[in-house]
């Protein structure tokens, strides 16, 4: 089935640094979603990308949908302590619809060092 | 309700016992999804409901797992004869309709520990 590969698996950064993470797939996705999961909570949708090449910002977050539709990146500028968590990329199967659920990557764990 | 509510938030059970996990979706959301998140892993899709029907149950890990949804609202995920490998966080999500591209709203999950 379709798989999403996220890198890096974990990041240790200093507060105030910029963060960049990406997600790749061997198959085409028509939509890319980025979620964040805080400890003990379910994932929360951060950004949704619908068009190849699309660049979308949400506050300090910026995400882009790759031209090939096989990759996406998420950038966080000027990180703050509440950015800590696990970031997942996700996408619907190429068949579309909800019957197969979303495919999720294994996540990038962001840790901010004091 | 205002969000997706799952209960219990934590469950510790003995191997071989049955457990029932509950999900109360956002009012008006017709689509409901169950996922499993094992330690350090991404989310594994289990099953999806549109209204009360589940078109495809092939994502359930084994025949010990079953799920139902009644009245187009509350859903229960039942695991019979639990095994240690069933230990995980079980997440429920709901969305307005079947278009997964719209993104889901997740509950906080049920952390299941089988001892």
């Amino acid at each position: 089935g379709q798989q999403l590969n996220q890198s890096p698996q974990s990041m240790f950064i200093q507060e105030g640094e910029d963060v960049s993470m990406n997600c790749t797939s061997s198959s085409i996705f028509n939509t890319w979603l980025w979620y964040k999961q805080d400890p003990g909570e379910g994932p929360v949708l951060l950004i949704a990308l619908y068009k190849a090449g699309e660049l979308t910002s949400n506050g300090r977050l910026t995400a882009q949908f790759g031209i090939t539709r096989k990759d996406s990146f998420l950038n966080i500028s000027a990180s703050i302590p509440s950015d800590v968590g696990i970031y997942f990329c996700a996408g619907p199967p190429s068949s579309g619809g909800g019957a197969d659920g979303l495919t999720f990557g294994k996540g990038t764990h962001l840790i901010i060092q004091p | 309700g205002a969000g997706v509510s799952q209960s219990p938030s934590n469950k510790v059970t003995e191997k071989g016992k049955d457990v029932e996990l509950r999900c109360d979706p956002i009012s008006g959301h017709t689509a409901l999804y169950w996922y499993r998140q094992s330690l350090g892993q991404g989310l594994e899709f289990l099953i999806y409901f549109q209204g009360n029907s589940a078109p495809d149950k092939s994502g359930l890990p084994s025949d010990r797992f079953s799920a139902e949804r009644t009245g187009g609202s509350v859903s229960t995920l039942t695991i019979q004869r639990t095994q240690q490998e069933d230990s995980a966080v079980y997440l429920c999500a709901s969305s307005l309709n079947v278009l997964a591209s719209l993104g889901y709203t997740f509950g906080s999950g049920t952390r299941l520990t089988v001892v």
Side-chain angles (χ1 to χ4, degrees), chain B residues 6-82:
Chain B
Q6 291 189 246
S7 62
S9 55
N10 281 283
K11 177 72 176 179
V12 179
T13 189
E14 291 180 352
K15 178 180 172 182
K17 295 283 179 69
D18 298 351
V19 295
E20 190 173 277
L21 313 180
R22 176 188 168 105
C23 173
D24 198 346
I26 291 174
S27 178
H29 279 194
T30 62
L32 185 149
Y33 306 82
W34 284 99
Y35 282 81
R36 179 169 71 174
Q37 185 177 23
S38 301
L39 186 64
Q41 299 295 312
L43 279 68
E44 174 191 4
F45 173 70
L46 298 180
I47 194 168
Y48 145 85
F49 287 90
Q50 172 57 36
N52 290 336
S53 66
D56 183 0
K57 299 181 180 180
S58 63
L60 295 174
S62 76
D63 58 8
R64 298 185 293 103
F65 286 71
S66 63
E68 64 176 17
R69 188 181 186 192
T70 56
S73 181
V74 173
S75 175
T76 54
L77 177 69
T78 302
I79 309 173
Q80 295 178 309
R81 304 181 303 281
T82 52

Side-chain angles (χ1 to χ4, degrees), chain A residues 56-69:
Chain A
T56 297
S57 293
N58 179 5
R60 294 179 296 107
L61 307 178
T62 302
Q64 184 157 28
F65 194 154
I67 290 291
T68 64
R69 291 191 286 159

Side-chain angles (χ1 to χ4, degrees), chain A residues 22-107:
Chain A
N22 63 42
C23 184
T24 61
S25 173
S26 58
S27 55
I28 288 173
F29 278 78
N30 294 317
T31 300
W32 286 84
L33 306 170
W34 284 95
Y35 283 85
K36 183 197 176 195
Q37 185 177 29
D38 290 328
E41 300 293 329
V44 173
L45 182 66
L46 298 174
I47 288 180
L49 301 162
Y50 300 105
K51 297 180 182 178
E54 179 181 0
L55 182 70
T56 297
S57 293
N58 179 5
R60 294 179 296 107
L61 307 178
T62 302
Q64 184 157 28
F65 194 154
I67 290 291
T68 64
R69 291 191 286 159
K70 292 183 178 181
D71 64 315
S72 175
F73 71 74
L74 175 70
N75 288 343
I76 305 172
S77 62
S79 59
I80 60 177
S82 61
D83 291 333
V84 166
I86 304 175
Y87 292 80
F88 293 101
C89 61
S94 55
S95 58
D100 299 323
L102 290 175
T103 298
F104 281 81
K106 292 189 176 181

Side-chain angles (χ1 to χ4, degrees), chain B residues 26-31 33 50 94-99 102-105:
Chain B
I26 291 174
S27 178
H29 279 194
T30 62
Y33 306 82
Q50 172 57 36
S94 68
S95 64
L96 273 173
N97 57 43
V98 302
L99 295 176
L102 294 179
Y104 307 153
T105 299

